[in-house]
Amino acid sequence: MTSTTTLLRAVTRPRFLRSAWPWRGVAYTATTAVAVGVLWLLLSFLLAPLALAVEVLRLAGPRAGEEAPFRWAGSYVLVAAVLGLIGVGLLALVGPRLALAVAGAERWRLRLADDAPALSRRRGSLYTDPATWRATAYLLLLAAVAPVWLGVLALAGLLVVSTPFAVHHRLVSMESMGSAAGRAALGVVLIPVVLYLCSAFGGAHAALARLLLCSEPDPAATELVEVTRSRARLADAFDAERHRIERDLHDVAQQRLVSLTMQLGLARLDLPDDSPAAGAVASAHEHAKALMVELRDLIRGISPRTLRELGLRAAVEELAAGSPLRVGVDADSDRFTPAVETVAFAAVSEALANAVKHAAATEVAVTVRRSADLLTVQVTDNGRGGADPSRGSGLTGLADRAAAAGGRLLISSPPGGPTILRVELPCVS
């Protein structure tokens, strides 16, 4: 089952230990330890010239008391200056690129702690892009702060791992049963403590990483309230018009088409098979039946009655049942406002259509979850990826509809897939 919450939020839930989140927290923390080790190995090469420069200056002190002190001191200072320049040059040339590489790896690793797509956009050159310096700040925090937390977690984990050996030792050395039982109880109690610590540390780390590496500055910091309201009114008027068209098609056009199909069927029965008109009437009857199927599909795509009467979950399951792909649906049965349900259904419909037409996918997973006042709809397919809203596809219209409802659309679709489409909508009761 795919959850839509984050590792940091999952820690506060009552059923945390019975979910998969503790193991995701352990995996995230373990990979953090590996990342810190590799990072310090790389940084040691970059910092080596500066460390040597400091060591040369330190050796210059004793030499200053020898014969010709000024000549020795000048030579040491010159060597230290050259080493310092080399070190600063290496940091200036390699440091930003190393920070961006670490940021890329961290965005890939964030899927362990957060199901939301981790997006990043470059602006400007290497040294003028704000993302470069945010990545550099994250690299410094990872190198300086993470080892401290990892040390605390390693100590707690060591106590848990050593518990069986400690209990065996106390039993063999004929210590009291109470001492051995106390050590065993301590180890058992520490297991959930370690899981909570790993997840809390990993969740906080992931939240900080997302803040630094994935957040994009909003150029429109000041929201135009009146524009937002008029946009919402336009969206409501558009939905009302969709409902009117669906009602007219269902109550008028479809009923007349059904009547026409029945009359053609009766006329077909009354005509002898060898009469000249039998073939034409049979052809008209088949065309009328095909047109009725197309009209029913069109009505379902405009505003499905299942969505209005039974809710989002039933409508998504009906949509999945009619898809040629293997679609797994994991959705809450809550009801939401018509505007929210319409946009959420449109997101699933658009994602499934794209998976069939463009992604060459075979499997799709649909998740609909409500967390507090936020409804999250996520559709993941195993297709070839490459979806780009900037090309003016239906994703652009879907993003506009989500924005009109006060939400947002997030997409992760690297070449080769998978594609993750996520819509977040406010759903205040």
Side-chain angles (χ1 to χ4, degrees):
M1 183 178 84
T2 303
S3 177
T4 57
T5 188
T6 64
L7 181 58
L8 194 58
R9 292 177 181 174
V11 174
T12 62
R13 292 185 172 180
R15 297 182 178 180
F16 167 72
L17 291 177
R18 287 187 285 177
S19 67
W21 284 106
W23 308 113
R24 295 176 67 168
V26 171
Y28 188 82
T29 304
T31 53
T32 298
V34 175
V36 170
V38 174
L39 176 61
W40 271 109
L41 181 62
L42 297 175
L43 287 178
S44 64
F45 290 103
L46 298 180
L47 297 175
L50 293 177
L52 287 175
V54 173
E55 182 64 18
V56 169
L57 289 177
R58 192 182 66 83
L59 294 176
R63 289 288 187 179
E66 297 179 357
E67 186 178 356
F70 294 106
R71 188 186 65 183
W72 281 110
S75 300
Y76 276 75
V77 169
L78 179 61
V79 172
V82 172
L83 289 173
L85 289 176
I86 293 174
V88 172
L90 280 176
L91 287 176
L93 291 175
V94 181
R97 291 175 173 82
L98 176 61
L100 291 177
V102 171
E106 181 59 36
R107 280 192 292 271
W108 180 84
R109 207 165 60 90
L110 276 177
R111 64 185 64 184
L112 289 172
D114 193 340
D115 290 334
L119 304 177
S120 176
R121 293 180 181 176
R122 298 298 311 277
R123 297 175 179 176
S125 63
L126 176 66
Y127 294 100
T128 60
D129 188 353
T132 301
W133 303 110
R134 292 201 301 270
T136 303
Y138 173 77
L139 183 144
L140 296 176
L141 288 173
L142 181 66
V145 179
V148 178
W149 276 102
L150 289 172
V152 176
L153 292 176
L155 179 61
L158 184 61
L159 287 175
V160 173
V161 173
S162 65
T163 295
F165 302 100
V167 172
H168 179 267
H169 172 73
R170 295 186 183 189
L171 292 176
V172 171
S173 60
M174 301 301 289
E175 293 189 13
S176 65
M177 288 298 294
S179 176
R183 184 66 175 84
L186 176 63
V188 173
V189 170
L190 280 179
I191 291 176
V193 173
V194 170
L195 293 178
Y196 269 102
L197 284 176
C198 282
S199 300
F201 162 69
H205 184 169
L208 179 61
R210 178 170 290 278
L211 179 66
L212 288 174
L213 305 179
C214 304
S215 61
E216 293 294 330
D218 186 2
T222 304
E223 185 178 12
L224 301 179
V225 177
E226 184 55 33
V227 172
T228 302
R229 289 175 178 172
S230 66
R231 186 177 59 184
R233 287 195 296 270
L234 286 174
D236 292 341
F238 178 71
D239 287 337
E241 185 65 13
R242 286 165 60 92
H243 291 158
R244 187 191 64 77
I245 294 173
E246 183 271 338
R247 186 173 58 252
D248 291 346
L249 288 175
H250 182 274
D251 296 341
V252 180
Q254 184 173 250
Q255 297 304 321
R256 291 183 178 178
L257 189 56
V258 169
S259 177
L260 175 62
T261 304
M262 292 180 62
Q263 291 180 7
L264 287 173
L266 293 174
R268 185 179 179 182
L269 293 174
D270 292 338
L271 289 174
D273 293 339
D274 56 351
S275 66
V281 171
S283 177
H285 187 211
E286 295 300 326
H287 280 83
K289 290 195 293 185
L291 182 59
M292 190 167 60
V293 173
E294 293 178 1
L295 181 61
R296 188 178 297 116
D297 293 340
L298 178 62
I299 293 172
R300 186 183 298 115
I302 292 176
S303 178
R305 180 159 295 185
T306 306
L307 179 64
R308 297 199 305 272
E309 297 179 352
L310 301 179
L312 182 59
R313 177 180 176 177
V316 171
E317 289 177 343
E318 183 183 66
L319 188 65
S323 174
L325 309 177
R326 291 192 297 275
V327 182
V329 178
D330 182 9
D332 292 338
S333 57
D334 297 351
R335 293 302 305 263
F336 307 94
T337 61
V340 170
E341 289 187 338
T342 300
V343 176
F345 179 81
V348 178
S349 179
E350 179 69 25
L352 287 180
N354 288 341
V356 174
K357 295 179 183 177
H358 308 299
T362 58
E363 294 185 5
V364 178
V366 180
T367 305
V368 180
R369 283 283 179 271
R370 177 176 185 167
S371 177
D373 294 332
L374 186 69
L375 173 66
T376 302
V377 178
Q378 181 164 304
V379 183
T380 305
D381 68 53
N382 64 345
R384 58 192 173 204
D388 186 1
S390 63
R391 296 175 184 170
S393 63
L395 294 175
T396 305
L398 183 59
D400 293 340
R401 296 186 66 180
R408 61 175 182 168
L409 170 69
L410 302 172
I411 298 176
S412 174
S413 184
T419 295
I420 302 175
L421 183 146
R422 179 185 176 108
V423 174
E424 297 177 349
L425 300 169
C427 54
V428 179
S429 302

